[in-house]
């Protein structure tokens, strides 16, 4: 990979050890994937924040770095609500380590927004055509597919390296030719909002790391697309998909998958909730204001009888403290900075009901729990045990 004179100096360690390490990661990646050069990024989203996922070794690696990020950089969810962790049942040892991790990132200049939906709270981080270095798979999918920005799915270290250098190697989804659809998906069902998670769950398994091009009967809204992309990135590793008529065409002769009501119904039945559900969690990816408003409306005048969590970004909860108040009056809890997948708070339960195709895919593997699926309304009903 070609390096400019300035990049070469950083690579040789003439700008300090941290920049040298960062350049080493970027150059190694660029060489593996055949990048021709580094390109500037508008923003970085750094995964690898929860102490549950990165552990002691991760904390050490971040704490050893010095210097400052040179582009806007934000954190993915941590393993707990950074202020109300006691209410989540998090123990002090975990909390101490988690706060150290966030502090280590903060010292480097990474903003502790702790969300997988930075685009919901800081739209200036990603605009159409921007190159980014984002990590969390649902955020990557949303950035590429809905915003029209360009990012590969970065690991935590490569994202942090990109933030310190302000650049990323040019390969993969940064290159136009790699952004061509590989498979058509004709959806012959009238989708409700809660179907998009299931649809993504099904299609991710089918297409793996392909680039699906959907043909819908009706244009999905932005929360539908968030749910769809998140699920495909979890059950498969889809980082880019298309959903509108202006999308580039898949090459002639490309495979086509038909999805019917029956296909969606089968998964719904398989994943229907039962009495074993002992916790209900909404907000994977993090809830938008509109989703908070829906939960608040559904909970009005009700009390929860099973644990109900709603995960969102702190900035969203602060902006809509009215909705948070309404939700929490029912006994449900709005947790910020974290989620049901990356927090050890989930460990004490047996079966979690979710409204997310992504969580449906990850809860059994990453949390070793059973999972059930339903719409937001069905989730609220299960938590309040209304029929
Ligand atoms: C579970 C996930 O959404 C977030 C956890 O990643 P991490 O702990 O931030 O590395 C992973 C992903 O899909 O990118
Ligand atoms: S809420 Fe879901 S999408 Fe967001 S970090 Fe957690 S697992 Fe990933």
């Amino acid at each position: 990979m070609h390096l400019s004179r300035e990049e070469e100096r950083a690579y040789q360690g003439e700008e300090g050890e941290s920049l040298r390490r960062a350049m080493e990661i970027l150059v190694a990646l660029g060489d593996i994937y055949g990048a021709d050069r580094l390109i500037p990024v508008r923003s970085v989203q750094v995964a690898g924040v929860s102490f549950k996922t990165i552990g002691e070794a991760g904390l050490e690696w971040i704490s050893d770095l010095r210097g400052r990020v040179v582009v806007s950089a934000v954190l993915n969810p941590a393993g707990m609500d950074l202020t109300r962790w006691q209410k989540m049942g998090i123990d002090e040892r975990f909390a101490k380590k988690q706060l150290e991790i966030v502090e280590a990132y903060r010292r480097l200049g990474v903003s502790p927004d702790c969300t997988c939906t930075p685009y919901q709270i800081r739209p200036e981080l990603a605009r159409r055509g921007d190159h980014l270095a984002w990590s969390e798979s649902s955020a990557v999918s949303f950035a590429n597919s809905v915003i029209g920005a360009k990012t590969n799915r970065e690991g935590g270290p490569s994202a942090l390296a990109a933030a310190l250098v302000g650049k990323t190697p040019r390969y993969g989804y940064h290159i136009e030719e790699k952004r061509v659809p590989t498979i058509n998906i004709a959806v012959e069902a009238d989708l409700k909002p809660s179907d998009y998670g299931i649809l993504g769950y099904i299609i991710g398994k089918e297409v793996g790391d392909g680039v699906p091009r959907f043909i819908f009967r009706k244009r999905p809204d932005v929360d539908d697309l968030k749910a769809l992309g998140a699920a495909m990135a979890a059950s498969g590793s889809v980082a880019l998909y298309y959903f509108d008529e202006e999308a580039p065409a898949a090459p002639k002769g490309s495979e086509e998958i038909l999805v019917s009501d029956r296909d969606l119904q089968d998964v719904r039945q398989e994943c229907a909730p039962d009495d074993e559900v002992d916790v209900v969690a909404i907000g994977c990816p993090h809830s938008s204001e509109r989703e908070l408003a829906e939960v608040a409306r559904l909970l009005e005048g009700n009390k929860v009888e099973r644990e109900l969590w709603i995960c969102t970004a702190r900035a969203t909860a602060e902006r809509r403290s009215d909705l948070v108040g309404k939700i929490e009056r029912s006994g449900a809890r709005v947790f910020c900075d974290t989620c049901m997948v990356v927090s050890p708070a989930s460990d004490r339960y047996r079966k979690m009901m979710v409204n997310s195709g992504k969580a449906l895919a990850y809860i059994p593997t990453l949390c070793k729990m059973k999972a059930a699926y339903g719409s937001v309304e069905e989730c609220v009903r299960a938590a309040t045990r209304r029929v």
Side-chain angles (χ1 to χ4, degrees), residues 86-383:
Q86 269 141 331
K87 284 222 157 52
M88 296 185 85
I90 299 287
D91 68 57
E92 296 223 355
R93 182 185 163 270
F94 185 95
K96 185 170 168 291
K97 294 289 177 191
Q98 186 61 74
L99 292 172
E100 278 177 38
I101 292 172
V102 172
E103 186 48 37
Y105 276 123
R106 200 201 300 265
R107 271 200 303 272
L108 295 170
V110 187
S111 171
D113 298 275
C114 295
T115 183
C116 47
T117 58
Y119 48 86
Q120 289 180 167
I121 58 167
R122 296 176 58 181
E124 76 284 1
L125 293 177
R127 305 273 191 212
R128 174 163 291 277
D130 285 344
H131 292 277
L132 317 171
W134 285 18
S135 305
E136 200 280 331
S137 64
S138 76
V140 166
S141 171
F142 193 92
N144 277 326
S145 318
V146 185
I147 299 174
K150 297 169 190 184
T151 178
N152 291 315
R153 182 188 178 184
E154 300 295 339
S158 69
L160 191 52
L164 292 167
V165 175
K167 294 176 184 174
T168 195
R170 197 181 84 98
Y171 70 90
Y173 293 112
H174 293 288
I175 297 176
E176 228 35 66
E177 302 86 78
K178 298 281 163 60
R179 297 177 63 91
V180 174
T182 57
I183 182 163
N184 291 310
I185 317 287
V187 183
E188 298 179 332
D190 290 318
L191 301 177
K192 301 183 291 298
S194 65
D195 288 326
Y196 287 90
I198 293 287
L199 175 65
Y201 181 81
I202 297 171
I203 297 303
K205 283 189 186 173
E206 295 278 341
V207 308
D209 63 355
V211 179
R213 178 184 197 268
F214 287 91
I215 298 121
F216 287 117
R217 288 189 173 168
K218 193 173 111 240
R219 195 184 163 90
D221 74 22
V222 58
D223 286 328
D224 300 335
L225 294 169
K226 177 176 80 169
L228 173 69
M232 286 193 291
S235 67
S237 53
V238 174
L240 167 65
Y241 66 92
Y242 291 92
F243 59 92
D244 62 17
E245 299 79 45
E246 291 118 67
K252 274 206 171 34
S254 300
E255 201 192 331
E256 173 155 308
I257 297 178
L258 301 183
V259 185
S260 67
D261 272 319
R262 176 89 239 160
D263 299 319
L264 300 170
Q265 205 47 41
D266 286 349
V267 179
R268 274 185 182 280
Q269 252 157 24
E270 249 170 63
C271 305
D274 55 23
D275 273 347
E276 217 189 331
V277 170
D278 50 0
V279 60
V280 181
I282 291 172
C284 169
H286 274 173
S287 295
S288 63
E289 281 188 43
R290 198 170 59 166
E291 290 167 324
L292 285 186
E294 188 186 2
V295 176
R297 180 180 62 75
L298 291 167
L299 279 169
E300 207 171 335
N302 288 295
K303 287 277 175 230
V304 297
E305 290 184 25
R306 273 183 247 212
E307 203 60 21
L308 171 60
W309 301 340
I310 295 91
C311 302
T312 191
R314 183 164 295 278
T316 307
E318 282 176 358
R319 200 160 51 213
R320 296 310 308 267
S321 55
D322 58 326
L323 297 174
V324 173
K326 280 186 186 167
I327 292 171
E328 296 208 327
R329 266 199 287 286
S330 72
R333 299 220 178 272
V334 176
F335 288 128
C336 303
D337 319 310
T338 187
C339 80
M340 62 294 260
V341 172
V342 300
S343 175
S346 302
D347 293 352
R348 60 181 185 275
Y349 299 99
R350 271 199 324 213
K351 185 162 187 172
M352 181 180 277
M353 182 173 180
V354 294
N355 70 326
S356 154
K358 168 162 185 171
L360 183 67
Y362 272 181
I363 292 291
T365 52
L366 297 182
C367 303
K368 312 270 180 296
M369 296 166 78
K370 294 184 196 164
Y373 185 92
S375 64
V376 177
E377 196 166 354
E378 288 162 340
C379 283
V380 168
R381 200 181 306 145

